[in-house]
């Protein structure tokens, strides 16, 4: 039997099981792993051991950056709040700062707007810097990121240049205290009393009750009619043969009498001043008188002063005239005849 096998088969030197269809060593290894990847648990543990210190250091640095950023932001915001509060307290104690009347609502809105701008700038600078530092710790290249942000900023600046102009103009108006709530201003676009001052829009109420929304960027010049003092001006026209000295005394006495009554004793800040002849013609002359009064009270002071002057002239029998009435009298036309 063994002899037959040897005679009919292959030489017996080849080991048993190594036939034609046996798998090669390369076929038994399976799919190959990426280069640099640990192939065994021991290699994975060694890889983690080699890199954990760098990971921990980067994580601690990022945590420290965030903690410092948020603490600094909170500290600066609190300092801004205290500064604004102290400024408001000093203004309330002084009553009038730099010669300008400051009411509580104006002070509150101006302080709130300035504090909002300062807090926003503080948050943007602190957190923006912290974000860039964190990205740097993560190994992200900041050059392309900053360049892309610059391009986006330029595009936004061109697209929203009117908005940027409005906000910047409003910020400088608030910082310089050009006007505030309660002031009557002439903005060129509209005239009225300020209801609200924002970073982008100033809200006014006109003399007829209308509401004006004026963009701050459109205000090229502004006249504040409520700062310091106002001037009440009255013109008195009488016949040309009227005694000028007597007329001066009557106007001055009428102003003194008005200043002794309420509420004009507080609204009139200085005695009525007779400036002199404003104009002279063959038939009449015009005398002008002025008085310093509370800001915003010029119109009603003028009305009261005209009434007081008229009563004083009527008591002395001095007639007030106008050019149209004198012309009609020359023509022999009486007012009653004209109406008829």
């Amino acid at each position: 039997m063994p002899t037959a096998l040897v005679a009919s088969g292959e030489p017996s030197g080849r080991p048993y099981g190594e036939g034609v269809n046996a798998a090669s060593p390369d076929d038994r290894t399976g799919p190959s792993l990426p280069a640099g990847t640990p192939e065994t648990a021991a290699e994975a543990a060694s890889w983690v051991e080699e890199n954990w210190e760098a990971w921990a250091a980067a994580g601690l640095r990022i945590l420290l950056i965030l903690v410092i950023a948020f603490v600094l932001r909170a500290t600066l915001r609190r300092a801004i709040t205290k500064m604004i509060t102290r400024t408001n307290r000093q203004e309330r104690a002084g009553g009038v700062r730099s010669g300008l009347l400051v009411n509580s609502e104006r002070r509150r809105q101006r302080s709130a707007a300035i504090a909002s701008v300062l807090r926003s700038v503080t948050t943007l600078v602190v957190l923006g810097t912290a974000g860039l530092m964190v990205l740097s710790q993560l190994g992200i290249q900041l050059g392309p990121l900053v360049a892309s942000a610059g391009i986006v900023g330029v595009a936004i600046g061109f697209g929203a240049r009117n908005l940027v102009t409005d906000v910047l103009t409003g910020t400088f108006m608030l910082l310089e205290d050009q006007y505030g709530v309660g002031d009557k201003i002439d903005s060129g676009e509209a005239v009225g009393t300020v209801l609200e001052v924002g970073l982008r829009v100033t809200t006014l109420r006109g003399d007829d009750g209308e509401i004006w929304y004026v963009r701050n960027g459109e205000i090229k010049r502004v006249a504040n009619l409520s700062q310091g003092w106002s001037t009440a001006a009255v013109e008195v026209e009488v016949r040309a043969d009227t005694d000028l000295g007597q007329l001066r005394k009557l106007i001055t006495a009428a102003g003194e009498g008005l200043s002794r009554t309420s509420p004009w004793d507080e609204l009139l800040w200085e005695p009525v001043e007779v400036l002199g002849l404003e104009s002279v013609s063959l038939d009449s002359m015009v005398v002008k008188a002025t008085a310093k009064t509370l800001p915003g009270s010029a119109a009603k002071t003028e009305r009261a002063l005209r009434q007081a002057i008229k009563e004083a002239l009527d008591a002395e029998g001095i007639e007030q005239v106008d050019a149209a009435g004198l012309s009609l009298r020359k023509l022999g036309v009486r007012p009653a005849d004209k109406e008829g």
Side-chain angles (χ1 to χ4, degrees):
M1 188 69 180
T3 302
L5 290 172
V6 171
S8 59
E10 300 291 334
S12 59
R14 183 167 54 182
Y16 177 77
E18 293 184 358
V20 177
N21 297 326
S24 64
D26 292 339
D27 296 335
R28 293 193 299 268
T29 57
S32 60
L33 296 175
T37 303
E39 297 182 359
T40 64
E43 293 178 356
S46 176
W47 182 64
V48 171
E49 184 178 358
E50 292 175 357
N51 293 279
W52 77 269
E53 292 183 357
W55 296 342
L60 289 177
R61 284 194 293 267
I62 291 174
L63 180 61
L64 182 61
I65 290 172
L66 294 178
V67 170
I68 292 177
F70 281 103
V71 171
L72 180 61
R73 173 178 174 268
T75 302
L76 292 176
R77 289 172 67 91
R78 176 171 293 185
I80 291 171
T81 301
K82 288 184 177 180
M83 179 186 67
I84 296 298
T85 302
R86 183 170 59 252
T87 301
N88 289 341
R89 190 181 302 115
Q90 292 174 353
E91 289 182 356
R92 283 197 300 268
V96 177
R97 184 172 59 89
S98 301
L100 307 180
L101 296 178
V102 183
N103 59 50
S104 59
E105 183 62 19
R106 168 180 176 164
R107 185 168 50 241
R108 186 193 66 79
Q109 285 203 11
R110 176 173 176 266
S111 301
I114 293 176
S116 176
V117 172
L118 294 178
R119 292 192 191 101
S120 299
V121 171
T122 299
T123 300
L124 179 63
V125 172
V126 173
L127 296 187
T129 304
L132 293 177
M133 295 176 68
V134 168
L135 293 177
S136 177
Q137 293 298 321
L138 294 175
I140 298 176
Q141 296 295 329
L142 298 181
L145 183 62
V146 173
S148 301
I151 295 174
V152 173
V154 171
I156 294 176
F158 277 109
R161 57 184 179 275
N162 290 334
L163 177 61
V164 174
T165 302
D166 294 341
V167 172
L168 289 178
T169 304
T171 301
F172 282 110
M173 285 180 178
L174 289 170
L175 292 176
E176 296 170 0
D177 195 20
Q178 296 179 6
Y179 55 82
V181 175
D183 289 350
K184 185 173 182 179
I185 66 171
D186 179 0
S187 64
E189 300 293 331
V191 179
T193 303
V194 178
L195 298 180
E196 183 178 359
V197 181
L199 292 178
R200 193 180 68 86
V201 174
T202 295
T203 306
L204 306 177
R205 181 177 294 279
D207 294 335
D208 296 330
E210 68 275 14
I211 302 294
W212 294 92
Y213 298 93
V214 183
R215 287 173 41 204
N216 293 331
E218 296 295 328
I219 301 177
K220 304 304 179 182
R221 53 88 177 159
V222 58
N224 195 322
L225 308 179
S226 300
Q227 287 184 349
W229 42 266
S230 296
T231 301
V234 175
E235 293 183 349
V236 180
E237 186 173 4
V238 295
R239 290 183 175 276
D241 57 356
T242 304
D243 186 354
L244 186 57
Q246 182 185 11
L247 182 61
R248 282 177 172 271
K249 293 179 181 179
L250 290 176
I251 294 175
T252 302
E256 292 176 353
L258 184 65
S259 63
R260 289 193 293 266
T261 61
S262 179
W264 311 111
D265 53 348
E266 296 180 358
L267 296 181
L268 284 173
W269 288 6
E270 292 183 1
V272 176
E273 180 182 4
V274 181
L275 300 181
L277 288 174
E278 187 72 10
S279 63
V280 181
S281 64
L282 294 176
D283 300 316
S284 65
M285 62 180 179
V286 177
V287 177
K288 186 173 184 178
T290 61
K292 286 187 178 180
T293 182
L294 187 72
S297 302
K300 60 182 179 182
T301 302
E302 289 172 357
R303 289 191 288 268
L305 188 57
R306 286 192 191 96
Q307 180 178 350
I309 293 174
K310 183 181 184 308
E311 292 175 353
L313 295 180
D314 291 344
E316 294 295 326
I318 299 177
E319 180 184 9
Q320 289 185 265
V321 298
D322 58 64
L326 292 175
S327 298
L328 291 175
R329 288 184 182 181
K330 287 182 179 180
L331 296 174
V333 180
R334 294 178 302 174
D337 297 336
K338 183 180 177 183
E339 294 176 0

